[in-house]
């Protein structure tokens, strides 16, 4: 862990997007699942938890709209 969200206070890590160079807030232990094929008999997918993937904190933070670019632009304008 290397910080906490200014909006909701939950712990988060910062990642660096290797393509764009943008910093991205990440949930440190968000469950991420790889979805396998559909089992027609049970109508369910097989899933496997992937521990090497992370979810952007913007997807789970209840205050994420406070940090959207559109809101910042309107607040600055």
């Amino acid at each position: 862990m290397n910080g906490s969200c200014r909006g909701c206070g939950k712990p988060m890590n910062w990642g660096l997007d290797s393509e764009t160079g943008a910093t991205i807030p990440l949930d440190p232990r968000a469950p991420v699942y790889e979805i396998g094929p559909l089992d027609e008999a049970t109508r369910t997918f097989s899933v496997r938890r992937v521990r090497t993937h992370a979810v952007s904190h913007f997807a789970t933070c209840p205050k994420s709209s406070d940090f959207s670019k559109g809101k910042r632009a309107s607040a600055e304008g």
Side-chain angles (χ1 to χ4, degrees):
M1 232 135 345
N2 60 12
S4 60
C5 177
R6 288 182 295 156
C8 70
K10 291 186 179 177
M12 62 181 208
N13 294 323
W14 286 99
L16 184 64
D17 186 312
S18 61
E19 293 180 16
T20 66
T23 54
I24 303 168
L26 302 169
D27 285 343
R29 288 184 291 275
V32 178
Y33 295 89
E34 179 179 24
I35 299 173
L38 176 67
D39 180 328
E40 293 292 341
T42 62
R43 303 293 300 156
T44 60
F45 290 95
S46 63
V47 295
R48 178 179 66 91
R49 184 157 184 187
V50 182
R51 299 184 188 277
T52 58
H53 293 32
V55 172
S56 168
H57 186 65
F58 288 125
T60 62
C61 180
K63 301 280 190 172
S64 64
S65 64
D66 292 354
F67 300 98
S68 71
K69 288 183 180 179
K71 183 158 186 160
R72 281 194 308 240
S74 65
E76 293 170 2

